[in-house]
Amino acid sequence: MSDPGPPVTGIPGSGLAGPFPVGEYAVALRERLRGFTRVQLVGELVNLRPPTRTRVYFELRDAGGSVPCAMWRNDFERLDLAPGTLTDGIAVVVAGGCDYYPGSATSSPSFHFSVSDLRIAGEGDLLARIERLRRRLDAEGLFTTQKRLARPSLPRTIGVITGEGGKARDDVLAGLRRRHWRGRLVWAFAPVQDRHAAPAITRALTDLAAARVDVIVVARGGGSLADLLAFCDETLCRTVAMLSVPVIASVGHHTDRTLLDDVAAVSCSTPTHACESAVPLDCAEERDRLLASAGRLSVHARRSVLERARSLARQARAPSEHLDRERRRLHQGLRELRASARRRVQTSRTLSARHLLVLERRRSATSAAQARLRGTLAERARRLATAHEADRARRHQALEHLGVALAAHDPERTLRRGYALVSDQDGTLVTSAATAGSSPRLRLRFADGQLEATPAPDTMPR
């Protein structure tokens, strides 16, 4: 046993007893706590840790506080509970009392409620509150707003919210390296467990959204329900639902389901899975594929250029070839035209000679016919002249006879013999004395002139 050394004096002016050795006080405190009345407690079981060699550790919580609990492993195994019966958030009733381990120079002291018996009471208030909040957020449609956002296939900037010293940070880096991603990574370190975690994560989300990142990853390792309560905060969930940037949640293990998982665009079981969701494409594979596509495109482009060049060459040769064809066609047409013209001229000459011979023969025949016709016409003309002269003599003699007859009946000749022609003023011939007596004026025509006369009254017929 070590030498206690010289006695130590207390603080001057203090009225408190002591000073006492720490070990003595710790033992006295243990005895006092063990002397408290043994009671039963009811609360929600959280942070259940795997059994150690001697004990099982967990916590009891409710809205007013929490108490660390420990139970001997033998007592816990005598409960004969089915595996998975005790889960975080389940309400239990425990029996026992206070206990205290005073510690030593090499170990820390600890206080716990020593549990001697345990009974399951049903679902705890914590899980019920989370479930009620989940139903309310779902009814408001907040579980679908993030899922309607379009996520880029290859983001340029990724924001990550995680604990600064947690393992999730290394998992995120490893996942991005596995994707061969070389974009910009923006870290937003925040506490991921305790009552300050939810406000800090909310501020980090709004800051990253203002920094115009393409996608945000919220990563945290596994833990108890109590450790993950920050990710069930209502303000945090509503903030995520209102963001225009896709949020990928990677909180807890496969069996853990927080409200952030329901609100986020994608829920992943691990940070590595979250990185694969944030960067859906393997950049190295895509780069190789693009290079291969570029090579194929280059081959196709070269082939297309060659085909186009050949086509242009054919098109460039086409006018001259067309001109050659047209020149040959025109030359052939000219030769045919010349040959046809020569044949036509020869044929025309032959026909003209035949026509000339026929015409000459016809002209000879016509000349003879004309001579005969002229002789006939001259004979006829002589005959017609003779007949005409005889007819004219006869007609002249007849005219002379008619002239003598007409002269005998000429009124003028009668007037020259002493007769007069009487007419009234209208020129109507007066042929009777009665008619003459009824006319006021009479016109008397003699051979050498006219006279007007008025009938005497005594000559009027009675």
Side-chain angles (χ1 to χ4, degrees), residues 146-170:
Q146 274 277 319
K147 295 173 177 61
R148 288 197 293 263
L149 297 178
R151 290 183 291 121
S153 300
L154 188 61
R156 296 184 177 181
T157 305
I158 299 178
V160 180
I161 301 175
T162 186
E164 186 173 4
K167 188 177 181 296
R169 178 183 180 182
D170 298 332

Side-chain angles (χ1 to χ4, degrees), residues 10 42 44 58 117 131 148 206 229 303 315 324 330 374:
V42 59
E44 296 175 9
F58 55 90
D117 198 3
E131 187 59 31
R148 288 197 293 263
T206 55
L229 282 179
R303 184 180 304 150
Q315 294 177 8
D324 292 339
L330 291 175
R374 281 195 296 269

Side-chain angles (χ1 to χ4, degrees), residues 42-96:
V42 59
E44 296 175 9
L45 186 146
V46 295
N47 201 16
L48 177 64
R49 286 175 279 180
T52 64
R53 190 174 50 170
T54 57
R55 293 205 178 202
V56 177
Y57 295 94
F58 55 90
E59 294 180 12
L60 281 184
R61 292 187 182 183
D62 61 11
S66 63
V67 174
C69 299
M71 187 175 186
W72 292 107
R73 182 167 182 172
N74 294 335
D75 296 336
F76 182 79
E77 290 176 351
R78 275 196 297 268
L79 296 176
D80 196 19
L81 298 175
T85 302
L86 294 181
T87 58
D88 286 353
I90 191 171
V92 296
V93 177
V94 297

Side-chain angles (χ1 to χ4, degrees), residues 398-444:
L399 287 174
E400 288 179 352
H401 291 164
L402 288 174
V404 172
L406 286 173
H409 291 84
D410 187 5
E412 293 293 334
R413 188 174 181 181
T414 302
L415 291 178
R416 283 194 297 272
R417 290 203 303 266
Y419 292 95
L421 185 63
V422 182
S423 62
D424 59 10
Q425 288 180 344
D426 296 331
T428 305
L429 292 178
V430 178
T431 59
S432 65
T435 304
S438 63
S439 298
R441 299 284 292 176
L442 296 174
R443 184 177 296 169
L444 302 177

Side-chain angles (χ1 to χ4, degrees), residues 13 24 49 82 94 103 108 120 188 218 274 295 308 339 343 378-379 459:
E24 293 180 6
R49 286 175 279 180
V94 297
S108 300
I120 298 175
V218 181
R308 186 62 176 170
R343 288 193 300 269
E379 183 63 27
T459 63

